[in-house]
Amino acid sequence: MKRVFSLALTALLLAGCTAAPAAGSEISTTVTAETAVAQASTGNGEPLRLLQHGDEKQYYRQESLGKDDSMILYHVVDLQTGEDTIPCDVEGCTHDSESCPAVTTQIPSYQPFVLNDSTLLVLSGMNHSSQSTFITLMDRNCQNRRVLKKLEGVDLFLDPNHMYTDGDFLYCCGYEKNASLGATLYTIYRIDLSDGTTTNLTQHFYNFQFMRGTVGRDLVLYQENLTYPDTFGDPTATASSHPTGTKSHVLLNVDTGEVRDFCSYSSDDYVLDRLYFYVIAGQYYWIDSTAGTLSTVDPTTGESRLLTDQLPITEPDALSAEYQYQMEANLNGWLVFYDLPLLVNAETGEVRQRADLPENLWNGYGHQPQIFLQLKDRLLVDCRYEPYTRTDLSDDGTPFTTQSDQMYLGLISIDDFLNGVPNYTEVCKGPA
């Protein structure tokens, strides 16, 4: 089964890095109980959930307008009827200027996230000079836009697929340049959805330390302390080129600011760049590809439990297989991978062959349909691609043409997806 990393996956993947627990080991973290500066808050007790670009009712997409992509047009896709509409009530509107209520010039902009039954959330306005981000709220018909918060000098576009909410607050990771330190600093923010009040849940910390998912009301933060050997110009460098040091994870409670050491991984025990880490549906998993093992870790006890040792084995000196082992979702209790032709039962560890759907061809490469939206018993996936000629502008403004493939999204039941039955209901175009 041949698969490739498509553009679609970039905006989709829920989590991914590297790790594996070392029992009883100590970890050195930048974020600690002493450095957390979160003010205690009265949380609503709801588990944190990942924001998506749709729900059972609707999916939200956008398209760029103008030769210089200076405007964005919103679309609302009804997931019951499959109707793709432009949310504009102006009679005779051509939907190609700011006079259209469905058009925005606040760019760049990430397609709308569904916050709740009545409200959408949009990230927009970051530019290379200011790196400020607007967090905008609007109604489900993309109207009544209002700025909740402008974060001056902060870029939230670093990882917009890791945006979480409990209904009362937004939790996100931003970064900013610090000229005096000559470094990029990162912060976890808690933003009140009622008035935009913003709290730093951590003090600033350095590169390669991001949110990787949530477990209950804890954020899973990934941190590393690695040394990469200098192998430039050495064609014989193989195993010795692997990084040494540690990779670790901590749990940050969003209500109290408490930080708990969770898991630590050492190059004395593992080939660190052949370990892969995921948080799916509130559960923490890690894969040791050199041993073919998939394990899970209890966030309360820290106990690691082996689910299976039947995954394909990657040689330590082979090219990175991260996308092969990328875990996409838990579907009816089965863990689905991006590029492994098998399924793993999330409870028992049973492994079975995955039934392939017909491959999609994107720019000459084949891949299995990817998940854009996970609903109760359905999935929104890329179901087909259609060749077309696109006109772009060069740096000097000269137009040129490019051959590409237009993606189309369709709904499919989870059962059909798992059993390789291509029973799609096409609903709209996908991201360009």
Side-chain angles (χ1 to χ4, degrees):
M1 178 177 65
K2 179 183 178 184
R3 302 207 192 152
V4 296
F5 182 71
S6 70
L7 288 177
L9 189 62
T10 304
L12 168 71
L13 298 180
L14 301 183
C17 71
T18 52
S25 61
E26 298 294 327
I27 69 173
S28 175
T29 64
T30 301
V31 180
T32 67
E34 288 71 31
T35 61
V37 295
Q39 300 173 1
S41 66
T42 304
N44 59 17
E46 293 294 320
L48 304 182
R49 63 176 177 86
L50 180 72
L51 291 182
Q52 298 190 97
H53 301 301
D55 59 7
E56 291 288 335
K57 299 176 183 178
Q58 295 157 322
Y59 175 73
Y60 293 86
R61 70 181 189 91
Q62 60 191 37
E63 63 174 310
S64 296
L65 300 177
K67 293 182 179 180
D68 55 354
D69 295 336
S70 59
M71 294 180 288
I72 286 174
L73 176 65
Y74 293 122
H75 288 248
V76 181
V77 181
D78 189 312
L79 294 182
Q80 303 302 319
T81 66
E83 184 180 9
D84 183 349
T85 61
I86 295 172
C88 171
D89 56 3
V90 178
E91 186 175 352
C93 184
T94 55
H95 317 305
D96 57 3
S97 70
E98 288 186 80
S99 62
C100 175
V103 171
T104 179
T105 57
Q106 193 70 49
I107 59 170
S109 179
Y110 210 67
Q111 68 191 97
F113 293 98
V114 172
L115 193 58
N116 52 45
D117 286 341
S118 61
T119 309
L120 304 176
L121 182 145
V122 175
L123 299 182
S124 63
M126 185 276 293
N127 60 64
H128 296 297
S129 59
S130 70
Q131 288 190 321
S132 296
T133 303
F134 290 94
I135 300 175
T136 301
L137 303 180
M138 59 186 181
D139 297 342
R140 290 287 292 254
N141 63 358
C142 300
Q143 307 304 310
N144 188 26
R145 298 174 207 161
R146 60 271 189 199
V147 175
L148 173 69
K149 184 72 176 183
K150 180 184 179 183
L151 291 173
E152 299 280 359
V154 176
D155 180 7
L156 297 184
F157 281 69
L158 173 72
D159 198 0
N161 289 307
H162 288 279
M163 305 280 292
Y164 302 94
T165 188
D166 55 10
D168 292 335
F169 297 94
L170 174 71
Y171 304 90
C172 52
C173 180
Y175 77 98
E176 56 189 283
K177 298 289 185 180
N178 186 298
S180 60
L181 293 178
T184 301
L185 304 179
Y186 297 81
T187 298
I188 306 297
Y189 297 100
R190 181 181 67 211
I191 302 174
D192 193 315
L193 291 169
S194 64
D195 59 13
T197 299
T198 301
T199 303
N200 289 354
L201 292 182
T202 62
Q203 290 182 338
H204 291 100
F205 52 91
Y206 290 96
N207 291 338
F208 307 113
Q209 305 181 53
F210 307 110
M211 292 192 297
R212 288 303 180 188
T214 64
V215 177
R217 291 187 63 78
D218 291 331
L219 294 169
V220 181
L221 304 185
Y222 164 70
Q223 304 177 337
E224 65 181 37
N225 182 13
L226 299 177
T227 299
Y228 289 86
D230 182 8
T231 59
F232 182 76
D234 182 3
T236 65
T238 54
S240 61
S241 64
H242 295 296
T244 57
T246 60
K247 292 187 175 183
S248 57
H249 296 84
V250 298
L251 300 179
L252 168 64
N253 186 272
V254 298
D255 298 316
T256 66
E258 177 191 5
V259 177
R260 310 194 311 276
D261 294 351
F262 185 34
C263 295
S264 181
Y265 318 98
S266 169
S267 56
D268 293 335
D269 303 305
Y270 302 99
V271 182
L272 292 181
D273 52 357
R274 295 298 180 266
L275 305 176
Y276 304 105
F277 156 81
Y278 308 97
V279 179
I280 302 292
Q283 182 62 57
Y284 177 102
Y285 300 94
W286 61 274
I287 293 171
D288 182 348
S289 67
T290 64
T293 58
L294 166 64
S295 302
T296 184
V297 181
D298 187 302
T300 302
T301 65
E303 180 182 359
S304 179
R305 179 169 71 94
L306 176 68
L307 284 178
T308 182
D309 59 3
Q310 299 302 306
L311 298 188
I313 293 176
T314 299
E315 294 299 323
D317 299 330
L319 294 175
S320 175
E322 179 175 359
Y323 298 132
Q324 179 184 15
Y325 292 95
Q326 176 69 51
M327 194 180 294
E328 284 196 279
N330 182 326
L331 303 179
N332 294 348
W334 292 94
L335 299 174
V336 178
F337 300 85
Y338 173 64
D339 201 21
L340 289 181
L342 50 80
L343 304 171
V344 178
N345 189 286
E347 191 60 37
T348 67
E350 176 191 351
V351 178
R352 68 178 173 90
Q353 192 73 17
R354 176 176 172 178
D356 276 357
L357 287 156
E359 281 197 331
N360 287 322
L361 290 178
W362 175 77
N363 288 349
Y365 297 97
H367 68 274
Q368 284 289 292
Q370 304 300 309
I371 301 169
F372 278 70
L373 191 62
Q374 183 174 348
L375 306 172
K376 290 179 181 178
D377 58 2
R378 301 177 298 164
L379 304 172
L380 185 67
V381 302
D382 54 331
C383 61
R384 73 178 179 94
Y385 287 74
E386 184 177 277
Y388 78 105
T389 301
R390 185 178 73 239
T391 300
D392 295 316
L393 295 177
S394 62
D395 292 339
D396 62 4
T398 304
F400 65 96
T401 59
T402 303
Q403 300 300 313
S404 188
D405 291 295
Q406 174 61 57
M407 177 198 310
Y408 289 85
L409 303 182
L411 290 166
I412 185 173
S413 73
I414 289 178
D415 285 341
D416 284 344
F417 184 88
L418 291 174
N419 292 295
V421 180
N423 185 19
Y424 300 111
T425 300
E426 189 174 304
V427 294
C428 65
K429 291 182 178 180

